[in-house]
């Protein structure tokens, strides 16, 4: 295998026409230059220089290696510049994974804010519901937005950054008897039929809801389990039940439902960014986390509906 550094020494000898000239240019002793050239000739398996009077000139093989050494120097210089851009957060690639409702009210504004300041950093964005933390641990992605349950996981090689506690809101049919209330207590909904937009038996979201139901002393009767907040709103609008939907999943509200904050018992989803430690200190990663935190920051809590406020 040819040594790139020795090729640069050969390039200096050819450019200066002598070992002493190359030594002066590189700050080495002539003996060190001669030793490097000797090793490179053994690596190449042929003579690279020949004497001409008091100077040296390259053999055909030496001329080839000197020329390629110049091209390599330009390539390495470009690579160093690209690495400097990555270290400074100006360019690079970040692989980001996130769950469904995060794609509604969190990821889009965060990505827009990030790209304003880092247009040359490529974001590989992908939505997935399962295996987010495992994907970060395995190095399959760099950042994953996840929901943590009662215990926050701490996998090796992964940093957990808290983004926001996302409160659940109650979604009622427009003509519901409690639609005129500013806040609704969970205990008041004990007899309702429920549309569930999250798994009801397992997972961090289920844990938050189960704890809230237990505190309220109710056992909701789920008549339907759907795959997201938008679907849940559609069934609520049709009068088939009520639903608890996270605030971040309510960027768009169905025209025939009313959304109200809960009263004394309010379940929340604890949302974290799981970050690979090997990329956590990069400026681009830090800026992405700042954008996610800014997008997740809760605004003022107010009742929502498509029609006039009660």
């Amino acid at each position: 295998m040819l040594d790139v550094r020795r090729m640069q020494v050969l390039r200096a000898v050819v450019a200066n026409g002598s070992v002493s000239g190359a030594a002066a240019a590189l700050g080495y002793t002539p003996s060190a230059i001669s030793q490097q050239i000797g090793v490179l000739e053994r690596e190449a398996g042929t003579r690279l220089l020949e004497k001409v009077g008091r100077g040296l000139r390259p053999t055909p093989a030496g001329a080839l290696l000197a020329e390629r050494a110049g091209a390599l120097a330009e390539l390495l210089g470009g690579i160093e510049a690209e690495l400097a851009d990555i270290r400074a957060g100006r360019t690079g690639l970040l692989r980001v994974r996130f769950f469904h409702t995060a794609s509604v009210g969190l990821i889009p504004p965060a990505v827009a804010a990030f790209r304003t300041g880092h247009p040359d950093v490529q974001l590989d964005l992908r939505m997935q519901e399962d295996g987010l933390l495992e994907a970060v641990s395995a190095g399959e992605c760099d950042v994953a937005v996840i929901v943590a349950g009662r215990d926050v996981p701490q996998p090796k090689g992964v940093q957990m950054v808290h983004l926001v506690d996302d409160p659940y809101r109650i979604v009622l049919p427009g003509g519901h008897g409690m639609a005129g209330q500013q806040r609704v207590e969970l205990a008041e909904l004990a007899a309702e039929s429920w549309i569930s937009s999250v798994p009801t038996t397992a997972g961090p979201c289920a844990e938050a809801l189960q704890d809230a139901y237990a505190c309220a002393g109710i056992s909701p009767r789920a008549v339907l389990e759907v795959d997201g907040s938008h679907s849940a709103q559609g069934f609520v609008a049709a009068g088939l039940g009520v639903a608890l939907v996270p605030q971040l999943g309510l960027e768009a509200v169905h025209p025939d439902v009313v959304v109200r904050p809960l009263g004394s018992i309010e379940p929340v989803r604890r949302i974290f960014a799981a970050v690979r430690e090997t990329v956590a200190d990069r400026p681009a990663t830090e800026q992405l986390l700042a954008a996610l935190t800014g997008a997740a920051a809760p605004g003022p809590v107010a009742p929502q509906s498509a029609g006039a406020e009660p």
Side-chain angles (χ1 to χ4, degrees):
M1 177 74 68
L2 296 174
D3 186 276
V4 174
R5 291 170 296 181
R6 295 188 184 102
M7 289 176 63
Q8 299 306 319
V9 170
L10 172 66
R11 179 185 175 212
V13 173
V14 172
N16 288 276
S18 67
V19 168
S20 58
L26 297 177
Y28 294 159
T29 64
S31 175
I33 296 294
S34 296
Q35 289 177 2
Q36 293 295 310
I37 294 299
V39 174
L40 184 62
E41 286 183 330
R42 288 195 293 274
E43 291 174 345
T46 186
R47 293 290 301 275
L48 301 176
L49 296 168
E50 58 186 6
K51 290 184 178 180
V52 179
R54 295 184 177 181
L56 294 171
R57 70 180 180 189
T59 65
L64 172 66
L65 289 188
E67 180 183 348
R68 295 295 187 268
L72 284 173
E74 293 181 7
L75 177 62
L76 291 173
I79 292 173
E80 289 176 353
E82 291 172 357
L83 285 173
D85 284 340
I86 291 174
R87 289 193 298 268
R90 293 186 291 268
T91 61
L93 169 68
L94 282 174
R95 299 165 298 169
V96 184
R97 305 293 180 261
F98 47 90
F99 56 91
H100 179 264
T101 52
S103 69
V104 179
L106 177 58
I107 299 299
V111 169
F114 177 81
R115 283 182 172 166
T116 298
H118 300 80
D120 294 325
V121 177
Q122 182 182 353
L123 292 179
D124 174 9
L125 304 171
R126 189 176 306 169
M127 183 173 66
Q128 67 182 70
E129 291 299 322
D130 301 314
L132 288 165
L133 193 56
E134 291 79 3
V136 180
S137 297
E140 297 170 0
C141 67
D142 302 305
V143 178
V145 177
I146 70 167
V147 177
R150 299 183 184 103
D151 299 316
V152 179
Q154 297 291 340
K156 184 177 180 181
V158 178
Q159 292 185 13
M160 301 297 290
V161 180
H162 180 252
L163 297 178
V164 70
D165 287 337
D166 183 27
Y168 281 83
R169 305 301 186 209
I170 189 67
V171 182
L172 306 168
H176 194 278
M178 298 180 196
Q181 299 178 198
Q182 292 298 306
R183 288 182 177 271
V184 176
E185 294 290 342
L186 266 179
E188 298 179 285
L189 300 166
E192 298 286 340
S193 297
W194 289 77
I195 309 299
S196 176
S197 62
V198 298
T200 56
T201 58
C205 294
E207 287 181 2
L209 296 180
Q210 289 166 0
D211 291 346
Y213 297 149
C215 288
I218 65 173
S219 298
R221 180 174 62 90
V223 296
L224 182 65
E225 186 172 305
V226 296
D227 62 357
S229 59
H230 290 161
S231 299
Q233 289 188 56
F235 284 103
V236 171
L240 300 181
V242 301
L244 282 175
V245 174
Q247 179 68 44
L248 284 174
L250 289 168
E251 287 294 304
V253 177
H254 193 286
D256 296 325
V257 304
V258 173
V259 180
R260 295 290 181 262
L262 293 166
S264 57
I265 300 172
E266 181 183 70
V268 298
R269 300 187 305 176
R270 295 190 296 164
I271 298 180
F272 285 76
V275 187
R276 280 200 308 133
E277 286 185 347
T278 53
V279 303
D281 60 350
R282 292 182 185 174
T285 307
E286 293 173 347
Q287 291 302 313
L288 177 62
L289 291 176
L292 287 167
T293 302
V301 177
Q304 292 177 282
S305 67
E309 293 296 333

